[in-house]
Amino acid sequence: SIRLTQTLGGWTGSQEQRVRLLRRHLHNAVEDIRREMPLREAVHFVALDSGRVVGWCDVAPKTPTALRHSGVLGMGVSATHRGRGIGTQLLGATMYTAAGRGLSRVELTVRSDNAPAIELYRRFGFEFEGSCRHFMVVGDQYYDALLMARVT
């Protein structure tokens, strides 16, 4: 069974670093994770399957005074656990908590070829705001990204 756990603090590292950190410390309880992550006002949830991290979702608030109403969303679900509604659960919990903390704008970038993620974000009220050509590169392949945001 899948269980969501909220952790305190934000994270500025890569998804791979985040998953490695969470896996390394999960067996020692969420308190260990809290000590490892830089403390911020971030919203952060992980999905656990039998104690194993299978997904995460967070919103990192922006720090300049004029931008404190907004944050940047990041999320990922293990390939072995996609299509089970985990992303929906994570995004729902994260957005609900972010709204409760006063974040009225949440933005993200998503690879333009990631149709399932784009559809998930649209279901949660995210709208397209622009695109970035050659936003990321994997190996020697460039990928474009879409900018999306939800404003409440």
Side-chain angles (χ1 to χ4, degrees), residues 103-117:
L103 294 176
S104 59
R105 175 184 169 84
V106 176
E107 57 197 55
L108 61 89
T109 55
V110 58
R111 263 179 44 177
S112 61
D113 63 341
N114 190 346

Side-chain angles (χ1 to χ4, degrees), residues 6 8-10 38-44 59-61 63 97-98 101 103:
Q6 184 175 8
L8 293 180
L39 291 178
R40 292 174 55 193
E41 295 288 323
V43 176
H44 188 87
V59 174
T63 54
T97 305
R101 293 193 186 171
L103 294 176

Side-chain angles (χ1 to χ4, degrees), residues 77-140:
V77 175
S78 170
T80 59
H81 285 72
R82 292 179 188 151
R84 300 185 190 185
I86 296 169
T88 299
Q89 293 177 52
L90 284 167
L91 188 55
T94 301
M95 294 303 294
Y96 177 82
T97 305
R101 293 193 186 171
L103 294 176
S104 59
R105 175 184 169 84
V106 176
E107 57 197 55
L108 61 89
T109 55
V110 58
R111 263 179 44 177
S112 61
D113 63 341
N114 190 346
I118 293 167
E119 179 55 32
L120 173 64
Y121 298 139
R122 290 177 98 178
R123 284 197 320 264
F124 275 84
F126 284 83
E127 297 179 6
F128 296 111
E129 292 195 330
S131 61
C132 301
R133 296 179 306 167
H134 285 213
F135 185 76
M136 63 183 74
V137 62
V138 178
D140 60 356

Side-chain angles (χ1 to χ4, degrees), residues 3 11 17 46 60 70 80 95 106 130:
R3 182 173 60 93
W11 183 258
Q17 291 170 324
V46 295
S70 63
T80 59
M95 294 303 294
V106 176

